Amino acid sequence: MANSQRYLRYIVFALVCLILLFFISSSSSGPSSWPSITNPAANGSITSPEKPPTTPNTGSSPPPATAAGGRMNATFVTLARNSDLWEIAKSIRHVEDRFNRKFNYDWVFLNDDDFDDEFKKVTSALVSGKTKYGRIPTEHWSFPDFIDQDRAAKVREQMKEAKIIYGDSISYRHMCRYESGFFFRHPLMLDYEWYWRVEPSVEFFCDIDYDPFQYMADNKKKYSFVLSLYEYVETIPTLWDAVKNFTKAHPEHIVEGNMMNWLSDDDGKTYNHCHFWSNFEIGNLNWLRSKAYLDYFNSLDHAGGFFYERWGDAPVHSIAAALMLKKEEIHFFNDIAYYHVPFTHCPTGEEYRLQHKCHCNPKDNFDWNGYSCLSRYYEVKGKEKPAGYEKEQQQ
Ligand SMILES: Nc1nc2c(ncn2[C@@H]2O[C@H](COP(=O)(O)OP(=O)(O)OP(=O)(O)O)[C@@H](O)[C@H]2O)c(=O)[nH]1
Ligand SMILES: *[C@@H]1O[C@H](CO)[C@@H](O)[C@H](O)[C@H]1NC(C)=O
Ligand SMILES: *[C@@H]1O[C@H](CO)[C@@H](O)[C@H](O)[C@H]1NC(C)=O
Ligand SMILES: *[C@@H]1O[C@H](CO)[C@@H](O)[C@H](O)[C@H]1NC(C)=O
Ligand SMILES: [Mg+2]
């Protein structure tokens, strides 16, 4: 009994001391009390208001968040598995730091399985806008009944032998077909007009200090990209034939003033394999939901190449955009600096990069590499390439 009372006295005494200490230290910013530790060489510059200790984050940082209701009818969208959590977490952090923390757009996550609680907990904590989680209906992630499963299995075997990347994967094929023809029809996506696709493990290197969705709407753009390149021929041997069958059956969907000569060097006879890389896209969902695009997708789907070959959603989207949009409706976001393994888009021009706090190495820029389709894009658009691009060409 006596013992415990003594302990109690000690504890009370210790508490009083702690409280006293707290008061003394919190009032020590005043002129006297404790001698402040200063480095004579620094000459007080640590506390000098004109010289803050870190780089001032002024000037080109994003503008204030748009007023409530001032946002566009738009969302980020990600297709992912639960196992992609920590890689998509990195991508979200990049998007938020460089753009969305000021704009707070929503983010839709889609999966062929149910998202687990950890995935939802972590992603909803990272995204500054609302998050929504959707499960893909089985009909949109399975073999359609018109596909011959034995034939598809043989192809996977052959592609495995030939060491074609993802050549033997069933899920990769479902993914490509889903991104080609279904994601924009998911019930959660029907609420929106614009989307920005984000994949796991991507990076954004520069501040984006305006709203790209707003830009798309104001300038009547429907589809956009940051990287373009040539597709692996082995994955799409008959894609162009299927496209030609479609254009013959539906000439009404082919638009005058389109970008056919970006896809083809001989007025449509053959495909040169140029495509926009679809792991980054900002686009208009109502265009993808249009009769023109759906007729196109259904036609390609019935041709069977998602399973009998390994058609990617990138060439599928790109060919649609280049044939069924006017070339003015397609936009190259030179100012959105981006990485998805193994390619980087780092904006040409040092002034821009410094103003926007870019952290990409300009030597990594893929734009003027011989395997990029960007030069051809500039030619077809009849536009000058950015000043200084020759100097930043990859060795
Ligand atoms: N839910 C779900 N998502 C998938 C599946 N396969 C791929 N994805 C997602 O689909 C997108 C594209 O898949 P990736 O594996 O990134 O394909 P890729 O970009 O061609 O190839 P790498 O990124 O180089 O591996 C990513 O957002 C993936 O998270 C799957 O089986 N289920
Ligand atoms: C400290 O600053 C004063 C006033 O600006 C200056 O005269 C003095 O030379 C400086 N001393 C050192 C050590 O930098
Ligand atoms: C957003 O766009 C979708 C698709 O066009 C539309 O159905 C929805 O009503 C729009 N929402 C708002 C708030 O305008
Ligand atoms: C294109 O149509 C022709 C004639 O119907 C058909 O034989 C061919 O298989 C089709 N090509 C593709 C890739 O679907
Ligand atoms: Mg990827």
Side-chain angles (χ1 to χ4, degrees), residues 306-338:
F306 289 108
F307 298 102
Y308 301 146
E309 296 179 2
R310 207 221 64 196
W311 295 352
D313 51 289
V316 170
H317 286 182
S318 304
I319 291 169
L323 297 184
M324 302 195 285
L325 294 176
K326 288 183 190 302
K327 61 172 172 249
E328 296 76 27
E329 293 176 309
I330 300 177
H331 182 63
F332 167 52
F333 275 110
N334 184 41
D335 43 10
I336 298 187
Y338 176 78

CSV table of all heavy atoms in Angstrom, one decimal, residues 306-338:
chain,number,residue,atom,x,y,z
A,306,PHE,N,-8.8,-11.5,-81.3
A,306,PHE,CA,-8.4,-11.3,-79.9
A,306,PHE,C,-8.0,-12.7,-79.3
A,306,PHE,O,-7.1,-12.7,-78.4
A,306,PHE,CB,-9.6,-10.8,-79.1
A,306,PHE,CG,-9.9,-9.4,-79.4
A,306,PHE,CD1,-11.1,-9.0,-80.1
A,306,PHE,CD2,-9.0,-8.3,-79.0
A,306,PHE,CE1,-11.4,-7.7,-80.3
A,306,PHE,CE2,-9.3,-7.0,-79.2
A,306,PHE,CZ,-10.5,-6.7,-79.9
A,307,PHE,N,-8.5,-13.8,-79.9
A,307,PHE,CA,-8.2,-15.1,-79.4
A,307,PHE,C,-7.3,-15.9,-80.4
A,307,PHE,O,-6.5,-16.7,-79.9
A,307,PHE,CB,-9.4,-15.9,-79.0
A,307,PHE,CG,-10.2,-15.2,-77.9
A,307,PHE,CD1,-11.3,-14.4,-78.2
A,307,PHE,CD2,-9.7,-15.2,-76.6
A,307,PHE,CE1,-12.0,-13.8,-77.2
A,307,PHE,CE2,-10.4,-14.6,-75.6
A,307,PHE,CZ,-11.5,-13.8,-75.9
A,308,TYR,N,-7.6,-15.8,-81.7
A,308,TYR,CA,-6.8,-16.6,-82.7
A,308,TYR,C,-5.5,-15.9,-83.0
A,308,TYR,O,-4.6,-16.6,-83.6
A,308,TYR,CB,-7.6,-16.7,-84.0
A,308,TYR,CG,-9.0,-17.4,-83.8
A,308,TYR,CD1,-10.0,-17.0,-84.6
A,308,TYR,CD2,-9.1,-18.4,-82.8
A,308,TYR,CE1,-11.3,-17.6,-84.4
A,308,TYR,CE2,-10.4,-19.0,-82.7
A,308,TYR,CZ,-11.4,-18.6,-83.5
A,308,TYR,OH,-12.7,-19.2,-83.3
A,309,GLU,N,-5.3,-14.7,-82.6
A,309,GLU,CA,-4.0,-14.0,-82.6
A,309,GLU,C,-3.8,-13.4,-81.2
A,309,GLU,O,-4.2,-14.1,-80.2
A,309,GLU,CB,-4.0,-13.0,-83.7
A,309,GLU,CG,-4.2,-13.7,-85.1
A,309,GLU,CD,-4.2,-12.8,-86.3
A,309,GLU,OE1,-4.1,-11.6,-86.2
A,309,GLU,OE2,-4.4,-13.4,-87.4
A,310,ARG,N,-3.3,-12.2,-81.1
A,310,ARG,CA,-3.3,-11.6,-79.8
A,310,ARG,C,-3.4,-10.1,-79.9
A,310,ARG,O,-2.6,-9.4,-79.4
A,310,ARG,CB,-1.9,-12.0,-79.1
A,310,ARG,CG,-2.0,-12.1,-77.6
A,310,ARG,CD,-0.7,-11.5,-76.9
A,310,ARG,NE,-0.6,-10.1,-77.3
A,310,ARG,CZ,0.5,-9.3,-77.1
A,310,ARG,NH1,1.6,-9.9,-76.7
A,310,ARG,NH2,0.5,-8.1,-77.4
A,311,TRP,N,-4.5,-9.7,-80.6
A,311,TRP,CA,-4.7,-8.3,-80.8
A,311,TRP,C,-4.7,-7.5,-79.5
A,311,TRP,O,-5.4,-7.9,-78.6
A,311,TRP,CB,-6.0,-8.1,-81.6
A,311,TRP,CG,-6.1,-8.7,-82.9
A,311,TRP,CD1,-5.0,-9.2,-83.6
A,311,TRP,CD2,-7.2,-8.8,-83.8
A,311,TRP,NE1,-5.4,-9.7,-84.9
A,311,TRP,CE2,-6.8,-9.4,-85.0
A,311,TRP,CE3,-8.6,-8.4,-83.7
A,311,TRP,CZ2,-7.7,-9.7,-86.0
A,311,TRP,CZ3,-9.4,-8.7,-84.7
A,311,TRP,CH2,-9.0,-9.3,-85.9
A,312,GLY,N,-3.9,-6.4,-79.5
A,312,GLY,CA,-3.9,-5.5,-78.4
A,312,GLY,C,-4.9,-4.4,-78.5
A,312,GLY,O,-5.3,-4.1,-79.6
A,313,ASP,N,-5.3,-3.9,-77.3
A,313,ASP,CA,-6.3,-2.8,-77.4
A,313,ASP,C,-5.6,-1.5,-77.9
A,313,ASP,O,-6.3,-0.6,-78.4
A,313,ASP,CB,-6.8,-2.5,-76.0
A,313,ASP,CG,-5.8,-2.4,-74.9
A,313,ASP,OD1,-5.1,-3.4,-74.6
A,313,ASP,OD2,-5.5,-1.3,-74.5
A,314,ALA,N,-4.3,-1.4,-77.9
A,314,ALA,CA,-3.7,-0.2,-78.4
A,314,ALA,C,-3.9,-0.1,-79.9
A,314,ALA,O,-4.4,1.0,-80.4
A,314,ALA,CB,-2.2,-0.2,-78.1
A,315,PRO,N,-3.5,-1.1,-80.8
A,315,PRO,CA,-3.8,-0.9,-82.2
A,315,PRO,C,-5.3,-0.8,-82.5
A,315,PRO,O,-5.7,-0.1,-83.4
A,315,PRO,CB,-3.2,-2.1,-82.8
A,315,PRO,CG,-2.9,-3.1,-81.7
A,315,PRO,CD,-2.7,-2.3,-80.5
A,316,VAL,N,-6.1,-1.5,-81.7
A,316,VAL,CA,-7.6,-1.5,-81.9
A,316,VAL,C,-8.1,-0.1,-81.7
A,316,VAL,O,-8.8,0.5,-82.6
A,316,VAL,CB,-8.3,-2.5,-81.0
A,316,VAL,CG1,-9.8,-2.3,-81.1
A,316,VAL,CG2,-7.9,-3.9,-81.5
A,317,HIS,N,-7.8,0.6,-80.6
A,317,HIS,CA,-8.2,1.9,-80.3
A,317,HIS,C,-7.6,2.9,-81.4
A,317,HIS,O,-8.3,3.8,-81.9
A,317,HIS,CB,-7.7,2.4,-79.0
A,317,HIS,CG,-8.5,1.8,-77.8
A,317,HIS,ND1,-8.2,2.2,-76.5
A,317,HIS,CD2,-9.5,0.9,-77.8
A,317,HIS,CE1,-9.1,1.5,-75.7
A,317,HIS,NE2,-9.8,0.8,-76.5
A,318,SER,N,-6.3,2.7,-81.7
A,318,SER,CA,-5.6,3.6,-82.6
A,318,SER,C,-6.2,3.7,-84.0
A,318,SER,O,-6.4,4.7,-84.5
A,318,SER,CB,-4.1,3.3,-82.7
A,318,SER,OG,-3.6,3.2,-81.4
A,319,ILE,N,-6.5,2.5,-84.5
A,319,ILE,CA,-7.0,2.4,-85.8
A,319,ILE,C,-8.4,3.0,-85.8
A,319,ILE,O,-8.8,3.8,-86.8
A,319,ILE,CB,-7.1,0.9,-86.3
A,319,ILE,CG1,-5.6,0.4,-86.5
A,319,ILE,CG2,-7.9,0.8,-87.6
A,319,ILE,CD1,-5.5,-1.1,-86.8
A,320,ALA,N,-9.2,2.8,-84.8
A,320,ALA,CA,-10.5,3.4,-84.7
A,320,ALA,C,-10.4,5.0,-84.7
A,320,ALA,O,-11.1,5.7,-85.5
A,320,ALA,CB,-11.2,3.0,-83.4
A,321,ALA,N,-9.5,5.5,-83.9
A,321,ALA,CA,-9.3,6.9,-83.8
A,321,ALA,C,-8.8,7.5,-85.1
A,321,ALA,O,-9.3,8.5,-85.6
A,321,ALA,CB,-8.3,7.3,-82.7
A,322,ALA,N,-7.9,6.8,-85.8
A,322,ALA,CA,-7.3,7.3,-87.0
A,322,ALA,C,-8.3,7.2,-88.2
A,322,ALA,O,-8.1,8.0,-89.2
A,322,ALA,CB,-6.0,6.6,-87.3
A,323,LEU,N,-9.3,6.4,-88.1
A,323,LEU,CA,-10.2,6.2,-89.3
A,323,LEU,C,-11.5,6.9,-89.0
A,323,LEU,O,-12.2,7.3,-89.9
A,323,LEU,CB,-10.5,4.8,-89.6
A,323,LEU,CG,-9.3,3.9,-90.1
A,323,LEU,CD1,-9.7,2.5,-90.4
A,323,LEU,CD2,-8.6,4.6,-91.2
A,324,MET,N,-12.0,7.0,-87.7
A,324,MET,CA,-13.3,7.4,-87.5
A,324,MET,C,-13.4,8.8,-86.7
A,324,MET,O,-14.4,9.2,-86.3
A,324,MET,CB,-14.1,6.3,-86.7
A,324,MET,CG,-14.1,5.0,-87.5
A,324,MET,SD,-15.3,3.8,-86.9
A,324,MET,CE,-14.5,3.3,-85.4
A,325,LEU,N,-12.2,9.4,-86.6
A,325,LEU,CA,-12.2,10.8,-86.1
A,325,LEU,C,-11.5,11.6,-87.1
A,325,LEU,O,-10.7,11.2,-87.9
A,325,LEU,CB,-11.4,10.8,-84.8
A,325,LEU,CG,-12.0,10.1,-83.5
A,325,LEU,CD1,-11.0,10.2,-82.3
A,325,LEU,CD2,-13.4,10.6,-83.2
A,326,LYS,N,-11.8,12.9,-87.1
A,326,LYS,CA,-11.0,13.9,-87.9
A,326,LYS,C,-9.7,14.0,-87.2
A,326,LYS,O,-9.5,13.9,-86.0
A,326,LYS,CB,-11.7,15.2,-87.9
A,326,LYS,CG,-13.0,15.3,-88.7
A,326,LYS,CD,-13.5,16.7,-88.7
A,326,LYS,CE,-14.9,16.8,-89.2
A,326,LYS,NZ,-15.0,16.4,-90.6
A,327,LYS,N,-8.6,14.3,-88.0
A,327,LYS,CA,-7.3,14.4,-87.4
A,327,LYS,C,-7.2,15.5,-86.4
A,327,LYS,O,-6.4,15.3,-85.4
A,327,LYS,CB,-6.2,14.4,-88.5
A,327,LYS,CG,-6.1,15.5,-89.4
A,327,LYS,CD,-4.8,15.4,-90.2
A,327,LYS,CE,-4.7,16.4,-91.3
A,327,LYS,NZ,-4.8,15.8,-92.6
A,328,GLU,N,-8.0,16.5,-86.5
A,328,GLU,CA,-8.0,17.6,-85.4
A,328,GLU,C,-8.5,17.1,-84.1
A,328,GLU,O,-8.4,17.7,-83.1
A,328,GLU,CB,-8.8,18.8,-85.9
A,328,GLU,CG,-8.3,19.5,-87.1
A,328,GLU,CD,-8.6,18.8,-88.4
A,328,GLU,OE1,-9.6,18.0,-88.4
A,328,GLU,OE2,-7.8,18.9,-89.4
A,329,GLU,N,-9.2,16.0,-84.1
A,329,GLU,CA,-9.8,15.5,-82.9
A,329,GLU,C,-8.9,14.6,-82.1
A,329,GLU,O,-9.2,14.1,-81.0
A,329,GLU,CB,-11.1,14.7,-83.2
A,329,GLU,CG,-12.2,15.6,-83.7
A,329,GLU,CD,-13.5,14.8,-84.1
A,329,GLU,OE1,-13.4,13.8,-84.9
A,329,GLU,OE2,-14.6,15.2,-83.7
A,330,ILE,N,-7.7,14.3,-82.6
A,330,ILE,CA,-6.7,13.5,-81.9
A,330,ILE,C,-5.6,14.5,-81.4
A,330,ILE,O,-5.2,15.4,-82.1
A,330,ILE,CB,-6.1,12.5,-82.8
A,330,ILE,CG1,-7.2,11.5,-83.3
A,330,ILE,CG2,-5.0,11.7,-82.1
A,330,ILE,CD1,-6.7,10.5,-84.3
A,331,HIS,N,-5.2,14.3,-80.1
A,331,HIS,CA,-4.3,15.2,-79.5
A,331,HIS,C,-3.0,14.5,-79.0
A,331,HIS,O,-3.2,13.5,-78.3
A,331,HIS,CB,-5.0,16.0,-78.4
A,331,HIS,CG,-4.1,17.1,-77.8
A,331,HIS,ND1,-3.5,18.1,-78.5
A,331,HIS,CD2,-3.6,17.2,-76.5
A,331,HIS,CE1,-2.8,18.8,-77.7
A,331,HIS,NE2,-2.8,18.3,-76.5
A,332,PHE,N,-1.9,15.1,-79.2
A,332,PHE,CA,-0.6,14.7,-78.6
A,332,PHE,C,-0.3,15.6,-77.4
A,332,PHE,O,-0.1,16.8,-77.6
A,332,PHE,CB,0.5,14.7,-79.6
A,332,PHE,CG,1.9,14.6,-79.0
A,332,PHE,CD1,2.2,13.5,-78.2
A,332,PHE,CD2,2.9,15.5,-79.3
A,332,PHE,CE1,3.4,13.4,-77.6
A,332,PHE,CE2,4.1,15.4,-78.8
A,332,PHE,CZ,4.4,14.3,-77.9
A,333,PHE,N,-0.4,15.0,-76.2
A,333,PHE,CA,0.0,15.8,-75.0
A,333,PHE,C,1.5,15.8,-74.8
A,333,PHE,O,2.0,15.1,-73.9
A,333,PHE,CB,-0.7,15.2,-73.7
A,333,PHE,CG,-2.1,15.6,-73.5
A,333,PHE,CD1,-3.2,14.7,-73.7
A,333,PHE,CD2,-2.4,16.9,-73.1
A,333,PHE,CE1,-4.5,15.1,-73.5
A,333,PHE,CE2,-3.7,17.3,-72.9
A,333,PHE,CZ,-4.8,16.4,-73.1
A,334,ASN,N,2.1,16.7,-75.5
A,334,ASN,CA,3.6,16.9,-75.4
A,334,ASN,C,3.9,17.2,-73.9
A,334,ASN,O,5.0,16.8,-73.4
A,334,ASN,CB,4.1,17.9,-76.3
A,334,ASN,CG,5.6,18.0,-76.3
A,334,ASN,OD1,6.3,17.0,-76.2
A,334,ASN,ND2,6.1,19.2,-76.3
A,335,ASP,N,3.1,17.9,-73.3
A,335,ASP,CA,3.4,18.5,-71.9
A,335,ASP,C,3.1,17.5,-70.8
A,335,ASP,O,3.4,17.7,-69.6
A,335,ASP,CB,2.7,19.8,-71.6
A,335,ASP,CG,1.2,19.7,-72.1
A,335,ASP,OD1,0.7,18.6,-72.4
A,335,ASP,OD2,0.6,20.8,-72.1
A,336,ILE,N,2.6,16.3,-71.1
A,336,ILE,CA,2.4,15.3,-70.0
A,336,ILE,C,3.6,14.3,-70.1
A,336,ILE,O,3.6,13.4,-71.0
A,336,ILE,CB,1.0,14.6,-70.2
A,336,ILE,CG1,-0.1,15.6,-70.0
A,336,ILE,CG2,0.9,13.5,-69.1
A,336,ILE,CD1,-1.5,15.1,-69.9
A,337,ALA,N,4.5,14.4,-69.2
A,337,ALA,CA,5.7,13.6,-69.2
A,337,ALA,C,5.4,12.3,-68.5
A,337,ALA,O,4.8,12.3,-67.4
A,337,ALA,CB,6.8,14.3,-68.4
A,338,TYR,N,5.8,11.2,-69.1
A,338,TYR,CA,5.2,9.9,-68.7
A,338,TYR,C,6.2,8.7,-69.0
A,338,TYR,O,6.9,8.7,-69.9
A,338,TYR,CB,4.0,9.7,-69.6
A,338,TYR,CG,3.2,8.4,-69.4
A,338,TYR,CD1,2.4,8.1,-68.3
A,338,TYR,CD2,3.3,7.4,-70.4
A,338,TYR,CE1,1.7,7.0,-68.2
A,338,TYR,CE2,2.6,6.2,-70.3
A,338,TYR,CZ,1.8,6.0,-69.2
A,338,TYR,OH,1.1,4.8,-69.1
